[in-house]
Amino acid sequence: MTEAKHSFFTYMTKLFLDAGFVTDKGLKSSGINEDYAGINIPTDAYLLLSKGAVLAIADGVSSAEAGKEASKTAVTRFIDEYFATPDTWSVSHSGKKVLSTINLRLHRKSHKYTHEGKGFLSTFSAVVIKGRFVHFFHVGDSRVYLLRKNRPTELECLTTDHKVAISSQHSVLSRAIGMDNHLTLDYGKHELQVGDRLVLCTDGVYDFIDAEQFIELLNIESSAAELSQSLIDAAIQNNSDDNVSAIVAIIKQLPEQNLDDYSAKLTRLPFPPVFEPGMVIDGYKIVRELFASSRSQLYLVCDQETDAQLVMKTPSKNFEDDINYIDRFIQEEWIGSRIHSPNVVEIVRQTRPRTALYYLMRYVDGIGLDKWMLNNNPVSPRRAIEIVKQIGAGLSVFHDNEALHQDLKPANVLITADERAVIVDFGSVYVAGLAELYRPLDHTCALGTASYSDPLYLLGKNPGIAGDVYALATITYEIFTGFLPYSDQIEECHTSSDYDRLRYVSASLHNPKIPIWFDRALEKGVSFDLQQRYRTITELLKDLTKPNPVFLTDDPVTERSANTELFWKLMSGFWFLTLLVVMYLFSQVN
């Protein structure tokens, strides 16, 4: 009857951990298993040291229609994205940031499918075992239990159910992941002891096993996977009418070092020096400097273990005492590690401890789109639109991960020899879920580049995805014409009235071969009015690659002018006739 059964066994410098789980559809009438469980104990020693091991379980809300997908999304994305967070972040900070983005993702999907009655809601409970501590994250009514070896008859529930009673026999969830755009999450931390047994389970298990039987089963000397199975079997034998899932972890041995102290050291990594070719840091040899500004440096480096060429980004020493800058720099690495696309540069996970603050990216051998446009002017429409589509594909992956790029410009896009477009900068990326998406942004300097950034940014507003739409449409206009849609005057604008004076310059004036439907798609893409602009990259690309019938009508400006002229001609004729009638009547009277 078991649908899924996995067992994990690992060893880390004096840490010995046995963990396993079982998840089953049970006797539930629907025959669908809406529970989901997962475990990840890294085999990489450094990753296990810096991030720990993760156990997670979720129970999709049946009445929400999409509970199965919600529970799977919550568990799989949490496990994947937690390990992608910077090793300089604490467990609580990493978990909360990851869960905030997952929650917003599910909440938005529920709104997207409102007309189908789908709700992507799920309970969620996870533990991170790191060093001598267990950290738990919880929302809903799945549970986390702890059974101490030195107190074998005391089963402690670490979590609190988020339920509201609506009658003496019925209650409903008051919290779930995906229920609201803001996630109210429970977090806790407990020191572990050798012999401790941790259990994560759904209500289909704990509602049908009393405390005495639960404790009896957990005290059996057996493997974690076998203990998980015994809990499932007991729940089913006790006529559980729900899905049944359980994860068990047995702490065999703990490290002597307190890894929280180790993490604290990581967050205080020193800024690296300005590197010269030939210098080596943490096994990476500096080949040459690729880029330098007042805010950061990029170096081409060689991994001396693998000979792989990578790019190292280092912070500028100008901001050595700026806590916000340091946090932003660290966050860049995490943001990049969540984005997986051939059109976005890949963040490289480090396998060796760092002695300074920096992060690594896969080296992309190419030239900036700004130089590529100069070298290929005029560019054929086929080549140009293919570049645009690739940039759009990269941006769409950002948006699928609840992230906004916010600083897309030609210099931030590399074109390889085979004309693959790769977005290579994360410096201004904004992740929804880490803050309210549509609140005004708080930046100490202007966000992005004036020529390509949505003016709303510079006016203190956040247009969301539409901001990236504006940037892509602007870049597309420039690729096809060599100019900007509002001319260079846009760089001189500072207030809303400055922008009000600007007028879109038809792309066909610079390139007569551009068809009217393409020009109107560009005009809509760079509209200052959010009500007029495309809402997604997909909508923009659709109208750039296939004529929109709406744009094939007569020019609305010309049409409006003609209609206005006709109106005044008719009005003039009416008043002229009226004058003739008045003059005739006046002559008759006299």
Side-chain angles (χ1 to χ4, degrees):
M1 193 165 188
T2 301
E3 292 181 345
K5 183 174 181 178
H6 302 279
S7 185
F8 299 81
F9 199 66
T10 190
Y11 175 79
M12 179 196 82
T13 314
K14 296 187 179 179
L15 172 63
F16 208 23
L17 178 67
D18 177 21
F21 74 83
V22 178
T23 181
D24 195 291
K25 67 178 181 294
L27 303 177
K28 191 169 184 177
S29 58
S30 68
I32 299 173
N33 188 1
E34 294 180 297
D35 289 356
Y36 203 86
I39 296 174
N40 189 347
I41 305 176
T43 55
D44 178 86
Y46 176 66
L47 189 58
L48 189 55
L49 179 72
S50 60
K51 303 305 294 183
V54 173
L55 296 70
I57 199 166
D59 179 0
V61 178
S62 301
S63 59
E65 298 295 333
K68 181 178 181 179
E69 183 178 344
S71 63
K72 181 179 180 180
T73 299
V75 170
T76 56
R77 290 189 76 96
F78 179 79
I79 289 176
D80 290 344
E81 295 184 13
Y82 170 78
F83 285 102
T85 56
D87 48 16
T88 52
W89 282 2
S90 68
V91 173
S92 62
H93 188 61
S94 298
K96 289 174 183 177
K97 287 215 169 191
V98 169
L99 285 170
S100 291
T101 59
I102 294 172
N103 174 73
L104 191 54
R105 179 186 184 88
L106 292 175
H107 180 66
R108 287 188 175 166
K109 290 190 76 171
S110 294
H111 280 269
K112 182 178 180 181
Y113 293 100
T114 299
H115 62 286
E116 298 179 19
K118 285 187 177 182
F120 292 77
L121 307 180
S122 175
T123 71
F124 181 84
S125 296
V127 300
V128 176
I129 301 170
K130 181 179 175 183
R132 301 184 65 87
F133 290 87
V134 58
H135 306 254
F136 69 83
F137 303 89
H138 169 72
V139 60
D141 66 351
S142 300
R143 290 182 181 176
V144 179
Y145 290 99
L146 173 63
L147 183 69
R148 298 280 196 198
K149 185 175 183 179
N150 59 358
R151 295 201 301 271
T153 61
E154 299 177 17
L155 184 65
E156 181 183 3
C157 185
L158 302 181
T159 55
T160 301
D161 294 343
H162 300 138
K163 283 184 174 183
V164 174
I166 57 176
S167 71
S168 58
Q169 273 126 29
H170 296 285
S171 61
V172 295
L173 284 175
S174 59
R175 291 193 224 166
I177 193 164
M179 183 177 285
D180 194 358
N181 61 358
H182 175 72
L183 179 65
T184 303
L185 183 72
D186 289 352
Y187 164 78
K189 174 181 173 183
H190 285 260
E191 187 167 7
L192 290 170
Q193 298 174 9
V194 173
D196 283 350
R197 299 190 173 199
L198 290 162
V199 181
L200 290 78
C201 59
T202 56
D203 57 354
V205 173
Y206 68 73
D207 271 348
F208 295 88
I209 304 177
D210 61 33
E212 184 177 347
Q213 185 182 16
F214 211 118
I215 292 170
E216 181 183 346
L217 291 172
L218 281 182
N219 276 307
I220 296 173
E221 288 301 324
S222 188
S223 71
E226 290 170 335
L227 291 178
S228 299
Q229 185 67 63
S230 67
L231 290 171
I232 300 305
D233 293 341
I236 293 174
Q237 289 168 9
N238 293 341
N239 298 315
S240 172
D241 57 357
D242 202 350
N243 302 145
V244 283
S245 302
I247 303 175
V248 175
I250 305 172
I251 308 302
K252 298 287 189 177
Q253 193 169 336
L254 291 168
E256 294 178 1
Q257 182 189 18
N258 185 334
L259 292 191
D260 281 354
D261 294 338
Y262 175 78
S263 296
K265 294 176 184 177
L266 286 177
T267 60
R268 294 192 295 269
L269 286 172
F271 277 38
V274 175
F275 291 123
E276 298 291 340
M279 296 175 67
V280 177
I281 180 172
D282 303 335
Y284 301 105
K285 185 176 182 179
I286 308 300
V287 178
R288 70 175 186 272
E289 183 182 85
L290 298 174
F291 170 83
S293 72
S294 61
R295 298 188 63 81
S296 62
Q297 299 80 221
L298 292 176
Y299 298 95
L300 177 64
V301 301
C302 178
D303 187 334
Q304 293 183 312
E305 284 188 5
T306 64
D307 289 330
Q309 284 196 322
L310 306 170
V311 173
M312 177 182 290
K313 183 169 185 177
T314 62
S316 169
K317 293 183 77 67
N318 296 332
F319 300 91
E320 207 160 7
D321 298 320
D322 189 332
I323 297 175
N324 292 328
Y325 172 89
I326 295 171
D327 181 66
R328 182 74 201 183
F329 185 87
I330 292 172
Q331 186 167 292
E332 282 182 35
E333 180 182 4
W334 173 62
I335 290 170
S337 66
R338 299 173 67 242
I339 310 298
H340 304 288
S341 166
N343 301 116
V344 180
V345 67
E346 178 188 353
I347 294 292
V348 177
R349 186 77 200 186
Q350 294 188 221
T351 58
R352 299 186 292 269
R354 276 177 272 200
T355 60
L357 189 59
Y358 62 84
Y359 67 87
L360 300 169
M361 296 175 281
R362 194 71 63 192
Y363 176 61
V364 178
D365 188 7
I367 64 171
L369 177 59
D370 48 350
K371 295 180 181 178
W372 184 88
M373 286 190 288
L374 291 174
N375 296 342
N376 293 274
N377 185 29
V379 62
S380 72
R382 182 189 60 80
R383 292 173 69 196
I385 200 64
E386 184 58 35
I387 293 294
V388 171
K389 287 164 62 177
Q390 290 187 50
I391 300 172
L395 281 177
S396 294
V397 178
F398 277 90
H399 300 162
D400 288 344
N401 284 275
E402 310 301 328
L404 308 173
H405 190 278
Q406 298 192 137
D407 190 22
L408 185 71
K409 56 186 177 182
N412 285 341
V413 178
L414 291 182
I415 308 298
T416 63
D418 59 351
E419 294 199 349
R420 176 167 59 97
V422 183
I423 299 171
V424 296
D425 183 76
F426 306 105
S428 296
V429 175
Y430 179 79
V431 180
L434 305 188
E436 294 297 328
L437 179 60
Y438 292 106
R439 69 171 176 79
L441 296 180
D442 181 18
H443 289 281
T444 56
C445 58
L447 182 66
T449 305
S451 299
Y452 306 94
S453 289
D454 187 338
L456 291 175
Y457 286 134
L458 303 177
L459 297 176
K461 300 178 181 178
N462 188 343
I465 290 174
D468 285 347
V469 170
Y470 178 94
L472 180 60
T474 300
I475 289 174
T476 305
Y477 185 104
E478 186 175 18
I479 292 175
F480 277 86
T481 68
F483 295 88
L484 296 173
Y486 293 101
S487 76
D488 294 338
Q489 293 179 26
I490 196 166
E491 297 180 2
E492 306 301 323
C493 294
H494 303 287
T495 65
S496 57
S497 60
D498 291 339
Y499 289 108
D500 288 341
R501 287 193 287 270
L502 295 180
R503 294 293 179 269
Y504 174 80
V505 180
S506 174
S508 61
L509 294 178
H510 301 298
N511 184 349
K513 295 181 180 179
I514 290 178
I516 186 172
W517 58 268
F518 192 87
D519 186 31
R520 290 189 181 173
L522 291 176
E523 184 176 10
K524 184 174 180 179
V526 298
S527 173
F528 293 158
D529 184 353
L530 284 181
Q531 299 301 317
Q532 299 296 323
R533 195 187 306 169
Y534 294 103
R535 294 178 181 271
T536 67
I537 296 295
T538 301
E539 291 176 356
L540 170 64
L541 292 178
K542 180 181 178 181
D543 282 0
L544 288 176
T545 54
K546 183 179 179 181
N548 186 332
V550 175
F551 296 155
L552 295 176
T553 59
D554 290 336
D555 184 0
V557 176
T558 303
E559 196 173 281
R560 186 166 58 250
S561 298
N563 290 338
T564 302
E565 184 179 354
L566 177 61
F567 169 79
W568 286 113
K569 284 182 178 179
L570 290 173
M571 287 298 294
S572 298
F574 172 76
W575 288 113
F576 180 70
L577 290 173
T578 301
L579 178 62
L580 289 178
V581 171
V582 170
M583 291 176 65
Y584 172 76
L585 293 174
F586 181 77
S587 64
Q588 293 297 316
V589 172
N590 292 319

